[in-house]
C-alpha cells in the first residue's frame, strides 16, 4: 500500500516572495522621516511607524499574504491575497505619514522607505504571477486594470495619502502638475499620431515598391541610432533658422528649443516601428488570399481596405504599442530642452536633490506606460480574434 | 460559349503560352492538362485577365473580354485556386457573400444565397455559417472555396488545381460532388490539373498542353483512340488506355439481349466497373437491371472488351 502523507506544496516563486516580505517587514524601514524636504532622513520600522493596533493588523495581514504566497496553489486565492496585501499597505503608508509627522510641523517630510517598496514589489509580483496563471482574456485584463486604476484614484481623491511627502510636493504644484501632464500626453500621443499618419502610407509604399524598402528602412534605422540628446542638438540649428526666417513657423511656436524639437524627435523615433510593422504586417498576408481576392474582382482599394489592412492590423498595432510605450518614457527627456512634460519634475528634483519631486515626475510616467501597454495588448488580442484564435 | 483565340503570353524571352485557341461550349467541363510549367495556369488566368495576353483574345458569348472592365469581368467569372485563398478574418458566410456584396445585393438575398449554397455543398448552415476558415477541415475549406466562387451565379467557373490539396479519398468524393453540382447548375467549367485521372473523370473535353503549346483538344475517347502526338499518347498512358476507354462507356451501350445468372449490374455503371464485377465473380456474363431493378438484358466479357480498343 502506498504511503499517504500530507504533501506540503511549496511554491518556488511564492517562497521568494515570502522571503522578500519577511525581509521587508523585519529588517527594512517602512518609512523615512526627514526634518525637511532636502535633508537626509532616518528610517522607521513598520512597528514604530503605525499606531499599535494598525501595526498589529498590518503585520498579521502581511504575514498571512506571505504564507499564501508560499503555500496557496489556486491562482484566484493568490490574487486575492496579493490584493488584500496591497489594500492594507497602501492606506497604511498614508496613515503612517500622519502618525510619524509631529503635530503642527509643516516642514517635516515622511516618504515610503525600502520596506514599503519591497512589500509593494512582493505583492505586485504575486498579483502579476496569479494574473498570468489565470490566463485572463483581453476584457479580463482591461477589467483588472480598471479595478487597479479605480482603487488608486480612490486613494488619491480620499486624501489618505495627503501627509506623504510625495503628495505634499504635488499639493505645492498641483497646477503645474496637470499642465505638464497635458504637455507630456500631447508630446507622446501627438507625435505617435503624426508618426501613424506618415508611417502607414510610408509602410504601404515600401510594401508595394520594393525599391523604396531598403532606402526607407535604412534611413529610419539611422535616425533610431542617434541618442535623443544628440537629436535635440541636431534639430536646434534648422529649427532656429526656421523660426528666425519664416514668420509663420515662429507664430506656430517653432523654436530651436522647446516643445517643437522634442515633438519632432519623438516623431522621428516613432517612424521606424510604425513603418517596419506596417510592412511586416502587409507582407505576411498569404499570397493565395490576395490572389483569390483579385480573382473575385476586388479592386486594389477594396483589397487593401477589406483584406490586407485587417489582416495586417495586429502587427501594425504591435508597432504602435512599441511607439506609445517608448514615447511615454522618452517624452521625459523633452524637459531637458524646455519641452515640458513630467520630465520637468524629474530634472528639477535631481537639481534640488529632492527625491520626492523626482518621483512626482517618474511615477506617473511609469504608470502611463504600464497602462498603455496593457490596453494596447488587449486591443491587439481583440483584433486577432477569429483570424488566429485556435481552439 | 467561351472562344479562346490565338492567346499568347511571354515573360522576357520565355514563351509561356504560345498561340492557343479552343472553344468551350455552354455547360461543358473542359480540363486543361499538362506537365507543370506547360502554361496551363497562365492560360486560365488570361481568361479572367489576371494575366494580360500579349496577343489573342477571349470572347464570352461573342463579347471580347477586353471591352468589359476588369473587376466587373471577374465578378461574372468564378475562380477557385489550389489553396482556396479563403479570407481568414471572415466567417464562412462572409466569405461566400464576397461577390454578392461587391455586386450590391441586398442583405436578405445574400443570406438566402449563402444558405442555399451551404446546403448544396452539404455544410449545415447552422453549424458552419459562423465558423472561421481555420476551424474547417481541408475538404470543408475546398467546398467553401467552390461555394464562394459560385455565389453570384457565374456562367463560367475557372478552377486551378482545385483538388490538389486534398488527400486521394476526399479528392474522389469532391470530384463527384463537383460533377453532380455542375450537372445541376449547368455551369461551364474550365479546370486546370496535372492529374490525368482527374481529367478523364471530369472532362467533357480535354486540352493537352506541353511547352506552352496546345497539343490536342478533343473528347476523352478521341484522345485515347486518336492521340495527335507521341507526347499525348504517353500522357494518356499506353497501358491504361483500354481501361480508361472502358470507364468512358456505360453498360447501356454494350448491353446484349438475353439473360444471365447472378447479381445484376445497373445499366448506368461504366464498363470498367462491370468488367471488374465479372472478373471478381468469375463469370462470363451477368444480367443488367434498370434503375428500378428490373432485368433488361445481359452484359458479357466479350461484349465489354470490344469497347476497350478503337472501333474499326
Amino acid at each position: 500500500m502506498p504511503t499517504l502523507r500530507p504533501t506540503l506544496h511549496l511554491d518556488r516563486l511564492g517562497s521568494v516572495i515570502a522571503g522578500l516580505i519577511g525581509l521587508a517587514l523585519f529588517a527594512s524601514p517602512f518609512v523615512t522621516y526627514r526634518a525637511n524636504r532636502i535633508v537626509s532622513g532616518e528610517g522607521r520600522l513598520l512597528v514604530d511607524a503605525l499606531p499599535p493596533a494598525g501595526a498589529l493588523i498590518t503585520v498579521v495581514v502581511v504575514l498571512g499574504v506571505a504564507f499564501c504566497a508560499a503555500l496557496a496553489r489556486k491562482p484566484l486565492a493568490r490574487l486575492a491575497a496579493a490584493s488584500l496585501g496591497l489594500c492594507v499597505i497602501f492606506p497604511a503608508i498614508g496613515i503612517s505619514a500622519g502618525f510619524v509627522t509631529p503635530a503642527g510641523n509643516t516642514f517635516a517630510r515622511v516618504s515610503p522607505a525600502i520596506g514599503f517598496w519591497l512589500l509593494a514589489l512582493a505583492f505586485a509580483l504575486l498579483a502579476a504571477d496569479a494574473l498570468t496563471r489565470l490566463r485572463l482574456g483581453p476584457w479580463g485584463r482591461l477589467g483588472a486594470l480598471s479595478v487597479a486604476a479605480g482603487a488608486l484614484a480612490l486613494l488619491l481623491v480620499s486624501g489618505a495619502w495627503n501627509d506623504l511627502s510625495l503628495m505634499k510636493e504635488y499639493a505645492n504644484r498641483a497646477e503645474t502638475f496637470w499642465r505638464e501632464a497635458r504637455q507630456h500626453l500631447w508630446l507622446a500621443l501627438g507625435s505617435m499620431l503624426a508618426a501613424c499618419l506618415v508611417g502607414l502610407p510610408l509602410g504601404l509604399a515600401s510594401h508595394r515598391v520594393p525599391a523604396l524598402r531598403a532606402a526607407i528602412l535604412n534611413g529610419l534605422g539611422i535616425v533610431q541610432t542617434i541618442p535623443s540628446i544628440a537629436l535635440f542638438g541636431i534639430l536646434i540649428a534648422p529649427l532656429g533658422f526656421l523660426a528666425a526666417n519664416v514668420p509663420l513657423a515662429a507664430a506656430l511656436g517653432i523654436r530651436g528649443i522647446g516643445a517643437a524639437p522634442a515633438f519632432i524627435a519623438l516623431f522621428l523615433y516613432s517612424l521606424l516601428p510604425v513603418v517596419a510593422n506596417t510592412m511586416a504586417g502587409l507582407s505576411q498576408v498569404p499570397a493565395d488570399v490576395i490572389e483569390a481576392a483579385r480573382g473575385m474582382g476586388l479592386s486594389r482599394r477594396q483589397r487593401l481596405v477589406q483584406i490586407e489592412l485587417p489582416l495586417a492590423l495586429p502587427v501594425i498595432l504591435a508597432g504602435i504599442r512599441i511607439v506609445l510605450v517608448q514615447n511615454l518614457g522618452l517624452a521625459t527627456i523633452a524637459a531637458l530642452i524646455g519641452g515640458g512634460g513630467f520630465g520637468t519634475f524629474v530634472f528639477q528634483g535631481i537639481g534640488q536633490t529632492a527625491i520626492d519631486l523626482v518621483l512626482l515626475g517618474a511615477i506617473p510616467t511609469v504608470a502611463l506606460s504600464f497602462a498603455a501597454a496593457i490596453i494596447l495588448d488587449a486591443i491587439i488580442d481583440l483584433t486577432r480574434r477569429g483570424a488566429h484564435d485556435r481552439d | 460559349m467561351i472562344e479562346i483565340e490565338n492567346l499568347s503570353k511571354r515573360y522576357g524571352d520565355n514563351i509561356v503560352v504560345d498561340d492557343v485557341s479552343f472553344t468551350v461550349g455552354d455547360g461543358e467541363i473542359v480540363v486543361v492538362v499538362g506537365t507543370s510549367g506547360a502554361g496551363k495556369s497562365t492560360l486560365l488566368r488570361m481568361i479572367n485577365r489576371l494575366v494580360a495576353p500579349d496577343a489573342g483574345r477571349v470572347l464570352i458569348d461573342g463579347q471580347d473580354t477586353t471591352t468589359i472592365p476588369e473587376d466587373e469581368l471577374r465578378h461574372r467569372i468564378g475562380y477557385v485556386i489550389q489553396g482556396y485563398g479563403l479570407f481568414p478574418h471572415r466567417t464562412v458566410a462572409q466569405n461566400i457573400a464576397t461577390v454578392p456584396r461587391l455586386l450590391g445585393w441586398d442583405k436578405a438575398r445574400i443570406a438566402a444565397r449563402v444558405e442555399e449554397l451551404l446546403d448544396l455543398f452539404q455544410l449545415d448552415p447552422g453549424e458552419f455559417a459562423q465558423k472561421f476558415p481555420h476551424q474547417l477541415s481541408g475538404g470543408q475549406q475546398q467546398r467553401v472555396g467552390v461555394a464562394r466562387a459560385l455565389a453570384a451565379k457565374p456562367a463560367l467557373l475557372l478552377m486551378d488545381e482545385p483538388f490538389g490539396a486534398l488527400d486521394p479519398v476526399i479528392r474522389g468524393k469532391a470530384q463527384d460532388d463537383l460533377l453532380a453540382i455542375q450537372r445541376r447548375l449547368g455551369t461551364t467549367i474550365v479546370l486546370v490539373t496535372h492529374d490525368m485521372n482527374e481529367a478523364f473523370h471530369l472532362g467533357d473535353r480535354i486540352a493537352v498542353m506541353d511547352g506552352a503549346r496546345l497539343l490536342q483538344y478533343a473528347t476523352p475517347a478521341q484522345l485515347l483512340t486518336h492521340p495527335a502526338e507521341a507526347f499525348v499518347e504517353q500522357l494518356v498512358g499506353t497501358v491504361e488506355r483500354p481501361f480508361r476507354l472502358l470507364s468512358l462507356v456505360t453498360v447501356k451501350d454494350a448491353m446484349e439481349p438475353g439473360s444471365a445468372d447472378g447479381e445484376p449490374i445497373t445499366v448506368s455503371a461504366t464498363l470498367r466497373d462491370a468488367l471488374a464485377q465479372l472478373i471478381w465473380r468469375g463469370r462470363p456474363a451477368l444480367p443488367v437491371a434498370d434503375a428500378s431493378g428490373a432485368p433488361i438484358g445481359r452484359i458479357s466479357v466479350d461484349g465489354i472488351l470490344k469497347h476497350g480498343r478503337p472501333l474499326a
Side-chain angles (χ1 to χ4, degrees), chain A residues 203-248:
Chain A
L204 181 63
S206 35
H207 170 68
R208 289 268 163 88
V209 189
L212 281 177
R213 205 168 297 169
I216 289 178
L217 284 185
N218 287 337
L220 294 176
I222 290 171
V223 171
Q224 210 75 8
T225 63
I226 305 175
S228 45
I229 308 257
L231 190 55
F232 292 150
I234 293 170
L235 287 171
I236 286 175
L239 288 178
F241 178 81
L242 209 63
N245 294 289
V246 183
L248 179 68

Side-chain angles (χ1 to χ4, degrees), chain A residues 150-183:
Chain A
L152 199 63
L154 199 69
L155 277 170
L156 289 170
V157 172
S158 69
W161 281 349
N162 281 359
D163 289 327
L164 275 179
S165 174
L166 186 65
M167 292 307 288
K168 287 184 175 170
E169 293 288 351
Y170 165 73
N172 284 340
R173 53 196 98 214
E175 213 168 295
T176 327
F177 179 85
W178 290 110
R179 197 179 63 224
E180 299 303 353
R182 274 197 301 277
Q183 178 72 0

Side-chain angles (χ1 to χ4, degrees), chain B residues 177-240:
Chain B
D177 290 346
L178 179 74
L179 271 182
I181 286 167
Q182 192 270 345
R183 297 297 176 228
R184 205 164 129 186
L185 303 178
T187 313
T188 308
I189 296 179
V190 180
L191 183 149
V192 160
T193 182
H194 61 260
D195 178 350
M196 216 52 210
N197 289 324
E198 189 167 298
F200 278 97
H201 185 178
L202 298 175
D204 292 319
R205 288 170 194 275
I206 296 175
V208 181
M209 283 187 74
D210 185 49
R213 288 188 313 121
L214 177 64
L215 300 186
Q216 190 170 10
Y217 180 58
T219 63
Q222 286 168 336
L223 216 59
L224 290 165
T225 53
H226 301 93
E229 295 192 20
F231 179 79
V232 179
E233 194 169 346
Q234 185 197 332
L235 200 66
V236 300
T238 42
V239 174
E240 288 176 65

Side-chain angles (χ1 to χ4, degrees), chain A residues 286 288-289 291-300 302-303 306-307 310-311 385-391, chain B residues 45 48-50 71 74-75 77 79 81 83-90 98-99 101-102 132 134-135 148:
Chain A
D288 60 355
V289 168
E291 163 85 358
R294 277 188 72 203
M296 284 190 291
L298 274 81
S299 66
R300 248 181 120 88
Q302 286 166 335
R303 287 203 302 274
Q306 297 181 22
I307 309 297
L311 287 176
R385 284 215 154 161
H388 304 282
D389 256 9
R390 282 180 190 274
D391 307 340
Chain B
R45 287 153 55 89
N48 63 1
R49 287 171 62 202
L50 284 173
D71 293 335
R74 290 179 200 147
H75 294 160
I77 301 178
Y79 186 50
I81 54 178
Y84 324 126
L86 298 179
F87 302 148
H89 59 309
R90 292 193 171 169
T98 303
V99 180
R101 259 185 38 190
L102 292 175
F132 286 95
H134 68 78
Q135 296 168 312
R148 181 174 70 172

Side-chain angles (χ1 to χ4, degrees), chain A residues 9-390:
Chain A
H9 170 83
L10 212 58
D11 187 89
R12 216 179 289 167
L13 177 67
S15 310
V16 174
I17 290 174
L20 214 56
I21 292 174
L23 192 70
L25 207 54
F26 300 115
S28 327
F30 188 64
V31 292
T32 306
Y33 173 81
R34 285 170 301 165
N36 64 52
R37 67 188 280 259
I38 51 176
V39 296
S40 59
E42 54 184 271
R44 299 272 173 90
L45 286 176
L46 193 146
V47 284
D48 302 324
L50 282 168
L56 185 68
I57 293 172
T58 310
V59 170
V60 167
V61 168
V62 167
L63 283 178
V65 177
F67 274 108
C68 263
L71 300 174
R73 308 187 65 171
K74 288 216 168 77
L76 218 52
R78 296 166 71 84
L79 182 62
S83 310
L84 178 69
L86 289 169
C87 284
V88 166
I89 64 161
F90 273 65
I93 193 75
I95 296 168
S96 169
F99 177 71
V100 171
T101 311
N105 185 341
T106 54
F107 297 110
R109 293 301 172 102
V110 178
S111 46
I114 183 77
F116 171 81
W117 293 119
L118 281 180
L119 283 178
L121 171 70
F123 297 159
L125 263 180
L126 186 59
D129 176 53
L131 284 171
T132 313
R133 291 192 203 183
L134 276 174
R135 294 171 181 279
L136 287 181
W139 290 115
R141 298 205 300 274
L142 288 177
L145 178 67
S146 318
V147 169
L152 199 63
L154 199 69
L155 277 170
L156 289 170
V157 172
S158 69
W161 281 349
N162 281 359
D163 289 327
L164 275 179
S165 174
L166 186 65
M167 292 307 288
K168 287 184 175 170
E169 293 288 351
Y170 165 73
N172 284 340
R173 53 196 98 214
E175 213 168 295
T176 327
F177 179 85
W178 290 110
R179 197 179 63 224
E180 299 303 353
R182 274 197 301 277
Q183 178 72 0
H184 196 95
L185 285 177
W186 153 245
L187 281 174
L189 301 181
S191 59
M192 179 195 82
L193 207 66
C196 289
L197 289 178
V198 176
L200 285 173
L202 219 53
L204 181 63
S206 35
H207 170 68
R208 289 268 163 88
V209 189
L212 281 177
R213 205 168 297 169
I216 289 178
L217 284 185
N218 287 337
L220 294 176
I222 290 171
V223 171
Q224 210 75 8
T225 63
I226 305 175
S228 45
I229 308 257
L231 190 55
F232 292 150
I234 293 170
L235 287 171
I236 286 175
L239 288 178
F241 178 81
L242 209 63
N245 294 289
V246 183
L248 179 68
L252 283 172
I254 293 176
R255 278 176 294 138
I257 57 167
F263 189 95
I264 293 173
L266 290 178
F267 163 76
L268 288 175
Y269 285 132
S270 306
L271 274 180
L272 180 65
V274 174
V275 172
N277 279 50
T278 304
M279 244 176 57
L282 288 172
S283 64
Q284 50 117 55
V285 176
D288 60 355
V289 168
I290 294 175
E291 163 85 358
R294 277 188 72 203
M296 284 190 291
L298 274 81
S299 66
R300 248 181 120 88
R301 193 194 168 81
Q302 286 166 335
R303 287 203 302 274
L304 181 68
V305 174
Q306 297 181 22
I307 309 297
E308 294 178 278
L309 284 181
L311 287 176
L313 192 62
V315 182
I316 296 176
L317 282 176
I320 292 177
R321 175 199 186 280
I322 294 172
V323 165
L324 187 57
V325 173
Q326 167 184 295
N327 279 9
L328 282 167
L330 263 182
T332 321
I333 314 284
L336 268 186
I337 50 163
F342 285 130
T344 313
F345 304 124
V346 175
F347 292 114
Q348 268 180 26
I350 292 173
Q352 303 174 5
T353 62
I355 195 71
D356 293 313
L357 195 51
V358 174
L359 289 178
L360 186 65
I363 289 176
T365 309
V366 173
L368 277 176
S369 302
F370 186 70
I374 291 178
I375 291 171
L376 268 165
D377 278 341
I379 294 176
I380 292 169
D381 271 11
L382 287 173
T383 59
R384 268 184 213 279
R385 284 215 154 161
H388 304 282
D389 256 9
R390 282 180 190 274

